[in-house]
């Protein structure tokens, strides 16, 4: 699809969309939203980019390979934080009980492992959205060639 | 740091973790996929074994996720039933994927092989999660993972039949999940708890205030889990799904996945709902009649099938009926028989499906008429198939006899000999469709000259041999497993 209006508008709003998504992910332990909602916004911004420019341009920014690697990484961060709690001598996924610094409630740097887990979830959801999009598109392309 | 105290969490987390490592391995280190998958399931099996020993020596114990005690946090409760089911799932699951590591090579495209292991590990983790969790919402989450993963391992073959069957399964399974979720909401509304123990304490009082609420919740739970467990009138998705999938998928779906929902239902009906509620609505009586119909009609459908995997799938409908028969009779022996049948059917049905997979691998034959004389060309899978068939019929020294024996005793205990007759009749029906295959395999000649079958690799023969050894072993020495089953039944009945 070649449409100059769509391209210009999306080029203009994309940074704001991504920044907003990042904001929601990073404030997951403080405000409504969190890893899933923020990750979905970031993932949607990547889909918007690939739709308004084209698939080749989108793949240059975030290829299918990279997005599926990020997908695994996000999930591994989550599970890894749980295992770190066990290594610290508490139960799986323990937070304060395992000795993660909890900080002052309400500050950006607080909440111990929750912030890191939310970040992992954000990566996972954003890259899953992109991966699903690529999988659907590539399926469509491979059918056209048949 | 005491490592073994974390096993209840690790038994779920380790397969889950490696499920996510698998796509990375499939990209760069393809040859590591199989050993890593096997390693993760071996770990879970060892953990289940350790937990079973612990629960037998010191009694049930629980694990608080994130050190948050219930009712705030999620509690994993290891009682006899959970330890028994976790052991069954991991033991049988390990042998199935070991067989699958070679069989899948010819059934799947190479680029999706890595994803199969991801789905398989997710399935194992979610099944273990369902049986050990003590929190109803956590159970729902695992039910969803289990539903998605089991649809995935069917549709991954990408043939028309598989996709159609998987879609049908997905729609019905999601309906079941929806019913379950609605029931969770209704229960939470009247009790204010999601933890089974707390819910069970709050329910007798809530039952007086909101009896209709609870009846609806119970109906939704029985239907939701019944659809997933393929209890008779809700079984329509099963034959297609289990027969079209790749053989290791059929084996794991028939042997383990439908049983897990039965375990969930046993736990909810016996440990959460108060006995008086079961008096208001005849739920147990309904389960009893549904399972009777399942046993008879499932076997009858199986008789007319010509496709070996379809026949095994219909036989699963009949066999899940035995499990629910044990649940519905509410006597100690019957419950022991029902729970024991979860394990026995898991071993024999996975063996039968894997043997069928071996026939398909070797000769490409799926029709029963093409299997004449197969005993001479492929002896080991045929012998395994025979042992499985004998066990299905319930011939002594096989494990199938033991669970039918206890079910029959249980029916007599509560003074309902009718159900003993049902078990006898269904054994005869099983004989009608299993024994001709056995006879034809050894004593009749193929109609036309057939080419020599492909040689089976060792990875496929050893699991078959181990499973058939297991069926005989637990038929001759049932006490190896009966101890934990007895305690599970006594705990459930409050004896």
């Amino acid at each position: 699809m070649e449409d100059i209006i769509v391209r210009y508008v999306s080029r203009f709003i994309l940074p704001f969309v991504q920044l907003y998504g990042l904001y929601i992910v990073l404030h997951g332990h403080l405000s409504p939203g969190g890893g899933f909602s923020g990750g979905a916004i970031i993932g949607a911004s990547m889909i918007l980019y690939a739709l308004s420019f084209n698939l080749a341009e989108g793949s240059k920014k975030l290829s299918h390979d990279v997005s599926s690697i990020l997908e695994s990484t996000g999930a591994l961060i989550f599970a890894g934080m749980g295992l770190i709690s066990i290594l610290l001598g508490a139960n799986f996924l323990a937070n304060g009980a395992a000795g993660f610094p909890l900080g002052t409630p309400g500050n950006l740097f607080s909440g111990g492992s929750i912030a890191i887990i939310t970040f992992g979830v954000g990566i996972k959801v954003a890259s899953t959205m992109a991966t699903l999009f690529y999988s659907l598109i590539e399926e469509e392309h491979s059918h056209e060639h048949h | 740091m005491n490592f073994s105290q974390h096993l209840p969490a690790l038994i779920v987390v380790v397969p889950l973790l490696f499920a996510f490592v698998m796509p990375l391995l499939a990209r760069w280190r393809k040859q590591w996929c199989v050993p890593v998958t096997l390693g993760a399931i071996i770990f879970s099996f060892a953990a289940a074994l350790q937990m079973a020993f612990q629960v037998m020596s010191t009694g049930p114990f629980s694990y608080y996720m994130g050190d948050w005690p219930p009712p705030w946090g999620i509690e994993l409760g290891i009682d006899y039933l959970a330890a028994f089911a976790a052991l069954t799932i991991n033991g049988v699951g390990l042998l199935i994927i070991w067989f699958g590591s070679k069989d899948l090579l010819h059934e799947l495209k190479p680029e999706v092989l890595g994803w199969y292991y991801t789905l398989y590990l997710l399935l194992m983790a979610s099944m273990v999660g369902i049986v050990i969790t003590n929190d109803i919402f956590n159970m729902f989450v695992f039910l969803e993972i289990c539903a998605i993963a089991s649809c995935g391992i069917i549709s991954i073959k990408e043939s028309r039949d598989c996709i159609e069957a998987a879609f049908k399964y997905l729609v019905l399974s999601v309906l079941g999940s929806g019913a379950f979720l609605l029931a969770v909401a209704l229960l939470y509304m009247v009790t204010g708890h999601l933890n089974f123990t707390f819910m069970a304490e709050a329910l007798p009082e809530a039952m007086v205030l909101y009896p209709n609420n609870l009846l609806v919740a119970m109906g939704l739970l029985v239907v939701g889990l019944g659809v997933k467990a393929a209890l008779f009138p809700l079984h329509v998705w099963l034959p297609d799904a289990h027969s079209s999938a790749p053989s290791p998928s059929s084996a794991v779906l028939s042997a383990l996945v439908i049983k897990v929902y039965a375990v969930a239902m046993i736990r909810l009906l016996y440990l959460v709902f108060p006995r008086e509620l079961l008096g208001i609505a005849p739920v147990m009586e309904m389960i009893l009649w549904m399972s009777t119909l399942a046993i008879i009609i499932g076997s009858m459908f199986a008789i007319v099938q010509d496709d070996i995997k379809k026949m095994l799938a219909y036989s699963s409908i009949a066999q899940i009926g035995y499990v629910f028969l044990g649940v519905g009779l509410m006597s100690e022996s019957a419950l022991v028989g029902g729970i024991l049948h979860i394990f026995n059917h898991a071993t024999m049905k996975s063996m039968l499906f894997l043997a069928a997979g071996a026939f398909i691998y070797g000769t490409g034959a799926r029709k029963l008429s093409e299997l004449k004389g197969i005993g001479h060309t492929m002896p080991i899978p045929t012998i395994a198939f025979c042992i499985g068939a004998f066990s299905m019929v319930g011939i002594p020294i096989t494990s199938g006899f033991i669970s039918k024996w206890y079910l029959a005793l249980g029916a007599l205990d509560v003074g309902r000999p009718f159900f003993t007759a049902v078990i006898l009749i269904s054994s005869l029906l099983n004989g009608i469709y299993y024994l001709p295959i056995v006879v034809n395999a050894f004593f009749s000649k193929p109609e036309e000259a057939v080419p020599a079958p492909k040689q089976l690799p060792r990875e496929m023969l050893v699991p078959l041999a181990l499973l058939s050894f297991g069926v005989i072993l637990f038929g001759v020495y049932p006490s190896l497993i009966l101890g934990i089953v007895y305690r599970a039944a006594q705990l459930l009945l409050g004896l």
Side-chain angles (χ1 to χ4, degrees), chain A residues 65 68 72 79 86 90-92, chain B residues 1 6 20 27 63-64 66-67:
Chain A
D65 282 1
S68 39
S72 294
I86 289 188
N91 275 3
F92 184 75
Chain B
M1 185 187 79
H6 296 294
F20 291 116
R27 201 163 290 272
Y63 184 86
Y64 303 152
D67 270 329

Side-chain angles (χ1 to χ4, degrees), chain A residues 64-65 68-69 71-73 75-76 79-80 83 86-95 97-98 124 139, chain B residues 1 3 5-6 9-10 13-14 17-24 27-28 63-68 115 158:
Chain A
H64 195 160
D65 282 1
S68 39
I69 292 167
E71 215 185 328
S72 294
T73 318
L76 290 178
L83 293 176
I86 289 188
L87 289 180
L88 289 173
N91 275 3
F92 184 75
L93 272 183
N95 189 3
K124 165 88 184 153
E139 184 92 334
Chain B
M1 185 187 79
F3 176 71
Q5 84 186 58
H6 296 294
L10 291 177
V13 171
V14 168
L17 185 79
F18 283 105
F20 291 116
V21 175
M22 214 46 70
L24 301 179
R27 201 163 290 272
W28 288 298
Y63 184 86
Y64 303 152
M65 292 296 263
D67 270 329
W68 296 101
W115 289 110
E158 287 187 47

Side-chain angles (χ1 to χ4, degrees), chain B residues 141-182:
Chain B
V141 173
F142 282 125
L143 283 179
E144 285 288 86
I145 303 177
C146 191
I148 301 282
S150 35
C151 288
I153 60 170
I154 300 170
S155 64
I156 197 163
K157 206 169 155 188
E158 287 187 47
S159 74
R160 198 191 145 83
D161 289 347
C162 285
I163 289 173
E164 194 186 325
F167 186 69
K168 196 153 97 182
Y169 182 26
L170 184 70
V171 171
L172 284 169
S173 182
V174 165
L175 268 178
S177 299
F180 189 88
L181 184 63
L182 214 55

